[in-house]
Structures are given as structure tokens and as C-alpha cells.
Amino acid sequence: MIEIVLTLKAAPKLRVDMRDVTPAALAALNRDALAQQTVWHGNQRVTLADLFSIALRERKDDLPALRLIGDLARFDRIGWAMESGRIEIDGSAGDYLGALMVAGVIHCGGNAGMFAGCEMAGGALHIDGNTGDFAAATQPGSMDGMRGGELIVRGNAGDRLGDRMRRGLLVVHGNAGDFTASRLVAGTIAIGGSLGTHPAFGMRRGTLVLAQTRVELAPTFVATAHDFAVIWRLLAKQIAALGGPFESLVTKMPRRLTGDLAVDGKGEVLQVG
Amino acid sequence: MLVNGVAIDDTFAEAFPMKATRLIITAHDLTWARHAAVSMTGFATSVIACGCEAGIEAELGPDATPDGRPGLAVLMFAVSGKELAKQVERRVGQCVLTCPTTAIFAGLDEGEPIALGKNLRFFGDGWQISKQIGNVRYWRVPVMDGEFVCQETTPVVKAVGGGNLLLLAHDVEAALGAAAAAVAAMQHVPNVIMPFPGGVVRSGSKVGSKYPALPASTNDAYCPSLSSVVAASALTPDVRAVLEIVIDGLTEADVAAAMWAGISAVTLRGVEAGVARISAGNYGGKLGPYHFHLRELAGSEQ
């Protein structure tokens, strides 16, 4: 299979909407059509050739692949609703990275903007740097956030991380901002560093794992004293495989608090640190 | 054909397609896992009246179980996926959910899924919690010693049931010794169970009965008390006790491997140990698609 390599010529003046630039969509195009593929730049359409120098590389696997090189902080919706293939970003990405994706793999070597992985339903989104607010959350106005797949952030995350998340695995190796896991419907969120204010606010179900920090939770969270070692071993094994601050999770037993009793109250915060 | 003086009959065991699943029961220690497994596989000797055939397949160390605790692998067989689903739910609900500290997991990777904890979760009366880890969904049901963790579904695969060996001995003691040795050897074979008490059945059956209501009745051809009065008796005067070992396995090859292990264990003891012949039960080859020819097995290297 061919890997399409797009190297940024210069930072665009306005934001670029990359929603149509998925590996599967580009794989169907020949080199000329690829160069003439248009994207929105502000309120005008420009071609990929205007923005990128284009190269094609042979790959051994059968998956459509796209490599983006450069600082793409102004490029939004990379991997939007992606259904297959792989996107490698050698640099940073803009907002909505991997939003609505259902399958495939996206790896971002730098930072991502806001709404990374929002409403993603499957696949894997790995961000080596930091990500902005509302990662794995909802699009404005939607009821459900991330609903499947895995989002791994090696750096820090902004506010409202996993807001209304419903399913899947969300791991942040660094710190997370205010209202982490707010209104969490279900799924698993693990944080390696510290948290901002109001963690797990309005959490209904799901699990928030704090690997190395203890936070002050609202009075609507209560400690439970029962033996939950079985499910912890299963969960810890999965998260510990990601290394870093989670590496030794399997050997520890966290303190468990359940809440938010102001709502459904079947969520849990597992404080290992 | 004689092996160490033990005659191998020129016949075959006839086996049938079944549906099977493997369950892994873990607990705080092996004792409690065994309590649950023994209870769950109790009254599961024959599909004729038990609904399923089940047995403990193997002990598992902490490194071989999903939750890192000691456990046991259990195999369950039934004539249909629907019946198996019914038996799994009843038996897990009454024997594993109830047993202190246990958890239960699917032991097969692929197959048609049936409910494991999917319906048992309602015991939680609304307090049950779902947890998806990777592609596997678990249910956590609050119970009085903490929480009962069970996988949502377990895969069902096509399997083979009814492989068998008949050990024809000079007396009961010799028959028991041979059967115990054979079962001990077969228990080392993976993917099989011997569902009868101690792995051995003394009431071998034939299809049908003079009483219309009964689907099966005593295998009179192998009853020593009838050897002089039944025209079709398969016994010679020197045979005064017969025991049968029934084998269910996940594949035809697994059943064959277990039968080979059993035959080898008996013949290794020699004719001096009291077993005169090894035979097998069949229905003329017309009912079951799997035929295990004893002489082929006895002559093979495994």
C-alpha cells in the first residue's frame, strides 16, 4: 500500500478544515487528483498542493496511510469520522483531532488542540504532547462524548476532559484540568498527574483512576470498604501496560469512593496515590 | 490384537456432535474455587437426564487466570446451544455466584456467545455495575463478601461427546484399578472431561428399552450377570466386571488423544492386572459421525 506524505509548505493564515482528508479517501485518488483535492481555508477552498508538498511512499502493510509533517496547529478535524487506516502526524494538530473516528489509528507526535477525540466511537488516538479542553467530550450540543476506542495522551490535558464520556479508555499520563470526568456516563479515565478543581462533577457511572494523586472530592462521594480486588486486577493490568505513572498499578490497591450521589451515584473514583 | 496381553477389540466408539463452553472459576484460594466447580459440575453426568455433561478440566495457577488468582477450568457440554445457555445460567447462578470470593470468566476465545453474567447481573437489583476492559464486558454484582465479577458472555463451540472405552476385567477390583489408572492418564489431556463419578460409569446404557417411556436402558450385552442368559452377550465367562469411561472433548482429536491415553494406561499395566479386553460402545455407526477405532488408536504413536 502507498503512504501519502503531506509536508506543510508554510503555516496558513487561517484555519484549515481537514475533514475530507482521511487515508481511505486519499487512497482512492491518483497523484493529480490528490494534488487537486480541496479543503476549506477560512471561507475559501484551496488545494492540498497549495498547502503541502506531496510524496508517495511504498508501505508493506495493506492499510491506507497518511503522514502529515509540520506544525499543523491550524489544521482542524484531522481524522474526522475516520473509518480505517493510519494517520501519523509529525508535529502538532489543531482542534477536533480524531473526532467522531470509529476505527483506525491516529498518532500525533506533538500537541493537539481542543476537542481531541470528541465523540470518537472506536480506534486508537495517541497524542504524545498535550491536548486542549474538552478532549473525549461532546461536540457542543451533543448528549454523549467519547463512546468507544482508546485515547492516550502522554502530556497534559485541559479542562472538561471526558465530559459526558460514555464508553472507552481515556488515559492522560500528565495532569488534567478542571472538571475532569464531569458528567461521566461510563467508561474508564486514568490520570497519571494532578487534577484541577471539581473532578468527577456529576459523574453517573464509570471509573476515574488517579495513579499518583489524591484529590478532594465533593461531599457527594462516599468511601466504600469492600473487597474489589478482582475487577481492580483486571483494570490495572490494562492500564499498567501503558507504562509511565501507571506501571506499578497492579501491585497497589486503591481507595475507592463512589458517586456522584447527586446524580446516579454509580461511578467510582479509585485513588491509588 | 493384543497389547501386553490385553485384547483390543476390533470395534469403535461412536460419538456425537455437541455444543461446549469452557468456564474459568477463580477464588481467594483453590479450595473455594473447587467448592464452586464441584458444585457447578454436580449432577452433570449425562445429557439423558441432567441437561448437560460437565467436569473439571484442569487446575489453573494464578498466572493462567484473568484475575491472577488460583482457579479451575470447567468444560460444559450440551446437545444444543440453547440448552447449554440454560444450564450455564442456572449452574453459575446457583453454584458460583453463591460461593464465597469466586469470579467467573469465559475460557474460550472464539465462538457463538451465550449469556454468562448477562442475565445474572439482575441479581444486583439495580446496584450492578458494568465494566468494559478492552473488548470484554464484565458485570460487578454487589454480594455480601464484596462483589461478584463475571464476564458478560462465554463463547460456545462445536464439540464431540460420547467417546468411550469399556474395560472388561476379571473382577471388580481389577476393573476399578484399571479405570482409575485410565482416568488419571486422561485427566492430563487438555480439552476433555470424563463427566461420570470419578470419570467412570458402571451403568452403561443402550438406546431404548422394553418400557416405551425410557429412552435408554442397561447395556445387557456387557452385564456379567446376564452373560449366560442374553443371546447377544459380548462377554466371555472370565469377564465378571465391566466399567466404562465416557469422554467429551472440544474436538475429535482431543477425544482421540484421551482415548489413546486411557488405552495406554490400561495396557501398560498388562493382562496380569486383571483386564482381559478393551472394547467400546457404538450403535453400528449409524447415529454418530465420529468413530474412534480402538485398534487404530492402540497402534498409533501420540
Side-chain angles (χ1 to χ4, degrees):
Chain A
M1 201 80 187
I2 299 291
E3 180 185 51
I4 298 162
V5 182
L6 303 179
T7 305
L8 185 64
K9 291 177 178 173
K13 290 179 179 172
L14 301 171
R15 299 196 77 82
V16 176
D17 187 338
M18 295 283 279
R19 73 177 70 197
D20 297 325
V21 184
T22 60
L26 297 192
L29 305 177
N30 62 34
R31 195 184 182 98
D32 289 341
L34 189 62
Q36 295 308 310
Q37 171 75 31
T38 58
V39 292
W40 285 105
H41 173 242
N43 62 359
Q44 290 183 319
R45 290 195 83 87
V46 298
T47 65
L48 287 181
D50 293 334
L51 298 166
F52 300 98
S53 55
I54 301 171
L56 303 178
R57 286 184 199 158
E58 282 288 339
R59 272 174 67 101
K60 286 180 182 171
D61 59 37
D62 290 335
L63 290 172
L66 170 63
R67 181 176 290 273
L68 300 166
I69 301 172
D71 181 3
L72 280 80
R74 291 186 181 173
F75 288 74
D76 300 333
R77 296 185 172 82
I78 297 172
W80 176 270
M82 181 167 135
E83 292 179 345
S84 65
R86 180 178 183 87
I87 297 179
E88 282 283 346
I89 304 169
D90 295 346
S92 293
D95 298 338
Y96 290 99
L97 173 65
L100 277 74
M101 70 183 288
V102 293
V105 177
I106 300 176
H107 174 232
C108 175
N111 301 323
M114 295 166 67
F115 293 98
C118 82
E119 295 189 27
M120 68 182 284
L125 172 55
H126 293 192
I127 299 168
D128 287 352
N130 305 323
T131 185
D133 298 342
F134 295 101
T138 64
Q139 294 187 86
S142 286
M143 288 298 288
D144 292 327
M146 178 178 176
R147 54 201 73 174
E150 65 174 35
L151 169 52
I152 313 296
V153 180
R154 297 276 168 186
N156 303 320
D159 298 341
R160 290 281 183 184
L161 176 75
D163 182 45
R164 285 190 183 276
M165 175 178 164
R166 187 172 201 94
R167 202 176 295 121
L169 176 66
L170 167 54
V171 176
V172 176
H173 284 242
N175 307 323
D178 298 340
F179 289 97
T180 294
S182 58
R183 303 184 293 181
L184 186 71
V185 179
T188 302
I189 300 177
I191 309 294
S194 64
L195 290 184
T197 57
H198 308 296
F201 174 83
M203 174 188 214
R204 291 173 57 194
R205 300 190 298 273
T207 305
L208 173 61
V209 178
L210 306 178
Q212 293 186 340
T213 188
R214 288 211 168 193
V215 293
E216 195 68 34
L217 291 165
T220 46
F221 281 82
V222 292
T224 65
H226 73 284
D227 182 353
F228 59 100
V230 171
I231 199 71
W232 171 246
R233 285 191 187 115
L234 296 169
L235 187 62
K237 198 159 57 174
Q238 182 197 29
I239 302 172
L242 297 168
F246 308 106
E247 202 165 5
S248 60
L249 282 190
V250 181
T251 61
K252 296 171 180 170
M253 197 64 209
R255 176 172 180 247
R256 181 179 186 271
L257 297 102
T258 189
D260 185 338
L261 297 170
V263 286
D264 205 12
K266 285 163 71 177
E268 61 184 353
V269 178
L270 305 179
Q271 297 192 330
V272 184
Chain B
M1 181 183 189
L2 292 174
V3 180
N4 289 340
V6 179
I8 309 294
D9 280 7
D10 185 12
T11 187
F12 60 92
E14 189 172 352
F16 301 87
M18 294 185 91
K19 292 294 178 70
T21 190
R22 177 189 282 127
L23 300 173
I24 294 173
I25 300 170
T26 65
H28 182 71
D29 56 38
L30 197 58
T31 301
W32 286 105
R34 190 176 293 283
H35 283 318
V38 167
S39 177
M40 196 186 86
T41 58
F43 186 58
T45 54
S46 168
V47 291
I48 292 174
C50 303
C52 71
E53 296 176 7
I56 295 170
E57 178 193 11
E59 283 182 14
L60 302 173
D63 54 339
T65 61
D67 63 0
R69 301 190 301 169
L72 292 159
V74 168
L75 290 175
M76 290 181 68
F77 297 78
V79 292
S80 69
K82 193 176 173 185
E83 180 63 29
L84 187 60
K86 192 167 88 178
Q87 292 293 329
V88 165
E89 197 165 297
R90 282 185 180 175
R91 288 167 184 269
V92 174
Q94 298 303 309
C95 307
V96 184
L97 166 65
T98 55
C99 182
T101 75
T102 57
I104 190 159
F105 307 95
L108 296 173
D109 294 327
E110 292 181 349
E112 191 69 27
I114 60 168
L116 181 56
K118 193 175 183 177
N119 299 323
L120 294 175
R121 75 177 196 258
F122 294 115
F123 182 72
D125 198 24
W127 296 105
Q128 68 273 20
I129 302 172
S130 157
K131 190 80 233 162
Q132 183 154 344
I133 299 175
N135 294 321
V136 180
R137 182 177 295 284
Y138 301 94
W139 285 99
R140 303 161 63 184
V141 181
V143 284
M144 295 194 300
D145 70 350
E147 59 183 24
F148 172 59
V149 176
C150 52
Q151 205 164 318
E152 180 169 68
T153 60
T154 181
V156 170
V157 294
K158 289 179 181 173
V160 178
N164 64 83
L165 291 176
L166 292 167
L167 308 178
L168 285 62
H170 297 310
D171 54 41
V172 169
E173 193 161 344
L176 283 173
V183 169
M186 294 158 109
Q187 282 171 337
H188 292 293
V189 178
N191 305 332
V192 298
I193 55 161
M194 284 61 73
F196 282 95
V200 186
V201 50
R202 61 104 176 254
S203 60
S205 59
K206 66 177 183 296
V207 175
S209 162
K210 69 182 283 189
Y211 306 106
L214 294 182
S217 59
T218 191
N219 194 357
D220 44 34
Y222 287 90
C223 291
S225 62
L226 305 176
S227 62
S228 307
V229 294
V230 172
S233 177
L235 306 183
T236 49
D238 61 324
V239 174
R240 289 180 286 275
V242 180
L243 291 176
E244 181 176 357
I245 300 171
V246 173
I247 306 114
D248 297 334
L250 293 183
T251 66
E252 189 175 1
D254 294 327
V255 175
M259 288 180 63
W260 177 86
I263 292 169
S264 300
V266 174
T267 55
L268 196 63
R269 303 167 87 237
V271 71
E272 301 78 15
V275 170
R277 284 164 53 198
I278 298 176
S279 190
N282 62 64
Y283 311 95
K286 293 175 184 171
L287 295 180
Y290 305 108
H291 300 163
F292 300 95
H293 292 269
L294 297 186
R295 289 186 175 177
E296 285 177 20
L297 287 171
S300 66
E301 294 286 332
Q302 301 226 2

